Structure formats: structure tokens, C-alpha cells
Amino acid sequence: MAKENSIVYNRAFDFSVRIVKLYKYLCDEKREYDLAKQILRSGTSIAANIREGIEGQSRKDFIAKLSISLKEAAETEYWLELFNATEILEEKFTDSMLTDVEILIKMLNNILKTTKESIK
């Protein structure tokens, strides 16, 4: 799978761009640095690990990297939920990003399931 043809990678990359913008907003407008770093790390790691998996040396390497992406997506979902619950961000803003990360989680779960079944 080439990254140019990977829907999940492209979605994750676009999500990373939103995360970087969110990080800038949290630091500049909300003066929230510690939590901003957490979501920056997990949110940008999703696409980075997908990219590594695409360029991986084997299917097992691909599965390992996409599994990490899935974990990072779940962590990012947590941070967004926390920002919502603590009112650091408005619900209308977190809802959009939560929808995006939930789609990524579903896509990653499906890819992992299909890939694991194909190597049995």
C-alpha cells in the first residue's frame, strides 16, 4: 500500500494538521501547555505510525505499527474527552475532532482485523 493511495493515512495526516493547529491554539489562547503537549504527541503519532507501517519490512511490522496508531488514536480520543469535560475547549469543537478520531479508530480496527486474517 502506497501512502498516496492510503485513505487512512491521508485522513490521519489531515487530523495531524488539525492537532498541530489545536496545539498552537491551546498554547497561545488558553495558556495550556502540559495537556497541549500530550495531545500533540498522541495526535500526530497516529499518522506517523501509519506511515512507518506502510513502509514496513513485513506484514508483522505493518500490524505492529498500525496497532501503535490505534493506541495513539485512543489516547487522543481521551484527551479530547478530557478537554470537553473540563471545558478547556467548547463541545462543538471537540465533537468535530472526536468524530474524526472515532472514524480513524474504526478504520484502523478494520485494517488490522483484515490484515491479521490474511496472514493466518
Side-chain angles (χ1 to χ4, degrees):
M1 165 177 20
K3 71 176 174 61
E4 296 83 13
N5 299 327
S6 174
I7 295 169
V8 71
Y9 172 75
N10 291 327
R11 283 189 79 103
F13 183 85
D14 291 344
F15 186 74
S16 293
V17 171
R18 289 186 73 191
I19 290 291
V20 170
K21 290 178 180 181
L22 172 60
Y23 172 78
K24 290 179 182 179
Y25 173 77
L26 288 168
C27 290
D28 295 345
E29 302 295 325
K30 298 289 188 172
R31 302 286 185 236
E32 178 52 63
Y33 304 103
D34 293 332
L35 295 177
K37 283 183 185 178
Q38 293 288 349
I39 199 164
L40 178 68
R41 287 184 188 127
S42 65
T44 57
S45 181
I46 301 165
N49 279 290
I50 293 169
R51 176 75 179 265
E52 282 188 60
I54 290 169
E55 302 298 333
Q57 298 174 356
S58 66
R59 287 217 185 235
K60 287 184 180 183
D61 192 28
F62 177 78
I63 290 169
K65 292 300 180 186
L66 264 67
S67 295
I68 294 169
S69 289
L70 180 58
K71 290 178 189 179
E72 296 293 343
E75 181 181 342
T76 302
E77 182 180 39
Y78 165 79
W79 292 120
L80 289 168
E81 290 169 349
L82 183 65
F83 288 146
N84 187 19
T86 58
E87 299 176 356
I88 291 172
L89 294 174
E90 296 178 31
E91 189 172 335
K92 65 182 179 181
F93 184 76
T94 57
D95 283 351
S96 170
M97 293 195 80
L98 279 166
T99 298
D100 286 350
V101 79
E102 288 165 0
I103 290 169
L104 285 169
I105 289 169
K106 287 178 185 175
M107 292 174 82
L108 289 164
N109 272 319
N110 287 336
I111 291 167
L112 285 165
K113 180 181 176 191
T114 302
T115 305
K116 287 175 183 176
E117 288 173 354
S118 74
I119 60 173
K120 286 184 180 179

